[in-house]
Amino acid sequence: FAARGCGVFGRRARQCGAGRPGPSPGPFPRRQRAVACNARGGAVPAGKSGLAPWIPVVGLEIHAQISSNSKLFSGSQVQFAAPPNSLVSFFDASLPGTLPVLNRRCVEAAVMTGLALNCSINKKSLFDRKHYFYADLPAGYQITQQRVPIAVNGSLSYSLCIDNKMSQMVTKTVRIKQIQLEQDSGKSLHDDTRCQTLVDLNRAGVGLMEVVMEPDMCCGEEAAAAVRELQLILQTLGSSQAVMAEGQLRVDANVSVHHPGEPYGVRTEVKNINSIRFLAKAVDYEIQRQIEELENGGTILNETRAFDSKLGCTVPMRDKEGKQDYRFMPEPNLPPLILYDAKSLPANMNHQQVINIDWIHERLPDLPSVKREKLVEQYGILPEHSFTLLNEDGLAEFFESVVKQTQMKPKRVIGWILNDMLSYLKQHSITVKESPVSSFLLADLLNLLEKKEISSTAAKQVLAELWKGEGKTPLDIVKEQKLELLQDQKELEQICQAVIDGHENE
Amino acid sequence: QKVSVEVLDHLEHLALVDFRDLEGVERLQKAIQFADQLHEVNTDGVEPMDSVLEDRCLYLREDDVTEGNCTKQLLENAREKVEEYFVAPPGNIPLPKLEEREAFLQGS
């Protein structure tokens, strides 16, 4: 048999002259969020008056890039934004005669993540090949774990505010179907003017953890909250830096709607979601689109759609060529991956070759949910407060640092952190690390307030001045602007008398 | 049992092989017949073996950077390049559709 040149299946890029894929009637008119999930007192989105309500179903597939020095099966470096094709080994370029060699650190990252998500870790897992043709997949297949992944059957708990008031939080859980190790592909840069694609293989072969969440969510807000919590967990573990903007965390959403009591509807897959905010928008748009389509007598196609962030809508992405046939087969070059625990630890094996699940379990750091509870317990703040503290990178540490340096009670300090400091940070779009007001300065200011040397209003004035970052201390500013509280009774009487005297005529 | 034209077309798309003519198709049929002999073996209660490496130890490598930085060498293999990028067509180029090829397969 002779082999042909270029492939045909696989992800379609935009083809020369073919224009953008799929016509779209444009974004549906933006509505108030008509999708109310079951958390909010059982309300389920109603269609046009008189029609049966709809239940939206949302499942997520999340790819998290593993934080490691080298790639999953080769020794080339993992780094964002390096010169094209400089971080590519012969194996990554799929040159003949090369073989995959599994990176221990990647396995540990997957085990940590599985344990943190309450999964069962499979002591024996297998690698498979998933075949499709695309220029950024030089081998023509991706090594993944389709039959027996490294971790299965876990759960992720996340919190949501009801009614955007931050006063009532509800906890929800989503089941984790599995976590698998797999290779990332290279990057394609489409050059439409010259009708070509430029391929950079720096990313090809980087380790990924694919986290598959069961369709337990029902709206964009839940999906966003779940992903946010997963992001925090991954960052706490260090198994992935999970920065969506750098492509370290990629989310695909599977969305369908059905009437209560009826079977699940046809689902669509939504890709190209670049931030958590867009995830919520994309999911909610797709739910609305499907509801409107069905209520107008249309049908939903089992297709892949891309989210267009500028238009705020989803558009069809792939041709309707029928289902992809990936021809999964066992990876012939890799034996099964065997993991051990304290009981099954082999006596006479080189311990560099042994991964002990229990050893990893013992060394897991406090997960965000545990940290939040500890903050509530230790400082007497509300759960909503600790939620916000952990949601902002570095804010919890900042809060604790201020508490250590001030006599003011934590319950009062938290107000200054969450109301004043946080709004300043948001206004200037900077992170806690970049704050011109250090924990030391804030503690200093709060001490003045605590000792009643200044009023609350004055303190806010001082804080505004401190934000200019001119290097002054709170005391400097108080003196400059004469904000000291008068404590002297006599002086106060004199001032009052002067005011009364000045208005004797009225 | 003959292999249908649809299956042949599907295989050609998936594996990028070219059965070319009737002789090629017959060779495929014979290969399938040969492999079908496996069905004569009773495998009840036997776990399938999917790798002859199943008893081997999967070697774990330390997470050190030991490779890469060979852009020039890699690009030597490329027919076309643009500033250290490999150049590929804008997308996957589709094989001719089944209707256009049916005549070809049956013709020889």
Side-chain angles (χ1 to χ4, degrees), chain A residues 217-334:
Chain A
M217 294 159 285
C218 68
C219 62
E221 195 178 349
E222 288 193 355
V227 170
R228 177 65 183 133
E229 188 67 8
L230 176 65
Q231 193 180 39
L232 286 173
I233 291 174
L234 292 171
Q235 288 167 350
T236 303
L237 293 172
S239 56
S240 171
Q241 281 155 34
V243 176
M244 272 182 98
E246 285 182 16
Q248 292 168 345
L249 191 71
R250 311 200 280 264
V251 182
D252 299 332
N254 295 306
V255 180
S256 73
V257 296
H258 65 279
H259 289 303
E262 288 181 11
Y264 279 17
V266 175
R267 69 165 199 263
T268 60
E269 186 187 17
V270 183
K271 293 178 100 82
N272 193 41
I273 299 167
N274 299 327
S275 75
I276 294 189
R277 224 183 84 237
F278 286 152
L279 170 61
K281 282 195 176 167
V283 167
D284 286 337
Y285 174 87
E286 183 60 18
I287 290 171
Q288 275 310 327
R289 185 194 74 86
Q290 290 194 11
I291 289 175
E292 285 177 16
E293 182 71 33
L294 291 170
E295 285 183 348
N296 289 329
T299 53
I300 304 301
L301 296 163
N302 175 214
E303 59 175 350
T304 302
R305 298 175 73 88
F307 180 64
D308 186 323
S309 48
K310 287 196 195 107
L311 296 174
C313 65
T314 63
V315 294
M317 194 171 129
R318 289 183 199 174
D319 278 35
K320 299 154 208 172
E321 291 166 8
K323 260 191 111 190
Q324 269 279 32
D325 182 348
Y326 294 113
R327 295 184 298 150
F328 285 100
M329 69 175 248
E331 168 54 60
N333 294 321
L334 293 170

Side-chain angles (χ1 to χ4, degrees), chain B residues 23-36:
Chain B
E23 199 191 323
V25 174
E26 273 174 11
R27 208 174 299 147
L28 172 69
Q29 311 243 112
K30 290 214 175 83
I32 294 173
Q33 264 179 284
F34 180 76
D36 275 344

Side-chain angles (χ1 to χ4, degrees), chain B residues 12-30:
Chain B
E12 290 202 345
H13 276 79
L14 286 180
L16 296 186
V17 293
D18 183 359
F19 295 106
R20 193 139 303 195
D21 57 15
L22 213 52
E23 199 191 323
V25 174
E26 273 174 11
R27 208 174 299 147
L28 172 69
Q29 311 243 112
K30 290 214 175 83

Side-chain angles (χ1 to χ4, degrees), chain A residues 7 9 70 75 86 102 147 352, chain B residues 50 62-63 67 69 92-93:
Chain A
F9 268 12
S70 57
S86 61
L102 183 55
R147 287 167 297 154
Q352 191 273 337
Chain B
D50 45 47
E62 279 301 311
D63 186 25
E67 299 176 284
N69 262 310
N92 287 344
I93 296 168

Side-chain angles (χ1 to χ4, degrees), chain A residues 162-179:
Chain A
I162 307 182
D163 296 335
N164 300 321
K165 269 184 200 150
M166 281 307 285
S167 51
Q168 258 186 301
M169 303 212 68
V170 67
T171 305
K172 309 213 84 184
T173 306
V174 57
R175 289 168 299 160
I176 305 288
K177 178 163 185 254
Q178 65 190 54
I179 300 176

Side-chain angles (χ1 to χ4, degrees), chain A residues 1-4 7-11 13-15 68-71 74-77 84-86 88-90 93 95 101-105 133-135 147 189 195-201 325 327 330 332-337 352-353 355, chain B residues 10 12-20 24-25 27-28 50-51 53-75 77 80 82-96 101:
Chain A
F1 309 128
R4 285 261 178 100
V8 66
F9 268 12
R11 290 169 276 140
R14 283 160 280 157
Q15 288 187 318
S68 61
N69 300 326
S70 57
K71 295 183 181 178
S74 69
S76 35
Q77 194 182 1
N85 292 305
S86 61
V88 184
S89 68
F90 287 5
L95 297 188
V101 186
L102 183 55
N103 179 338
R104 188 198 156 89
R105 157 70 188 161
F133 293 111
Y134 207 66
R147 287 167 297 154
L189 298 159
C195 219
Q196 63 189 13
T197 295
L198 302 180
V199 178
D200 173 13
L201 297 177
D325 182 348
R327 295 184 298 150
N333 294 321
L334 293 170
L337 172 60
Q352 191 273 337
Q353 288 299 312
I355 292 183
Chain B
H10 189 54
E12 290 202 345
H13 276 79
L14 286 180
L16 296 186
V17 293
D18 183 359
F19 295 106
R20 193 139 303 195
V25 174
R27 208 174 299 147
L28 172 69
D50 45 47
S51 169
L53 301 173
E54 63 178 15
D55 291 328
R56 296 284 205 100
C57 242
L58 175 53
Y59 176 76
L60 294 171
R61 180 177 58 85
E62 279 301 311
D63 186 25
D64 298 319
V65 176
T66 56
E67 299 176 284
N69 262 310
C70 49
T71 318
K72 217 162 152 216
Q73 274 181 289
L74 292 173
L75 288 173
N77 285 332
E80 264 188 79
V82 168
E83 283 179 32
E84 299 180 331
Y85 287 94
F86 294 101
V87 178
N92 287 344
I93 296 168
L95 287 177
R101 299 174 341 100

Side-chain angles (χ1 to χ4, degrees), chain A residues 406-425:
Chain A
T406 178
Q407 295 94 50
M408 184 183 280
K409 289 219 169 80
K411 279 188 190 172
R412 269 190 86 189
V413 175
I414 195 75
W416 285 92
I417 303 287
L418 296 182
N419 299 330
D420 302 88
M421 283 298 294
L422 191 56
S423 55
Y424 274 120
L425 288 171

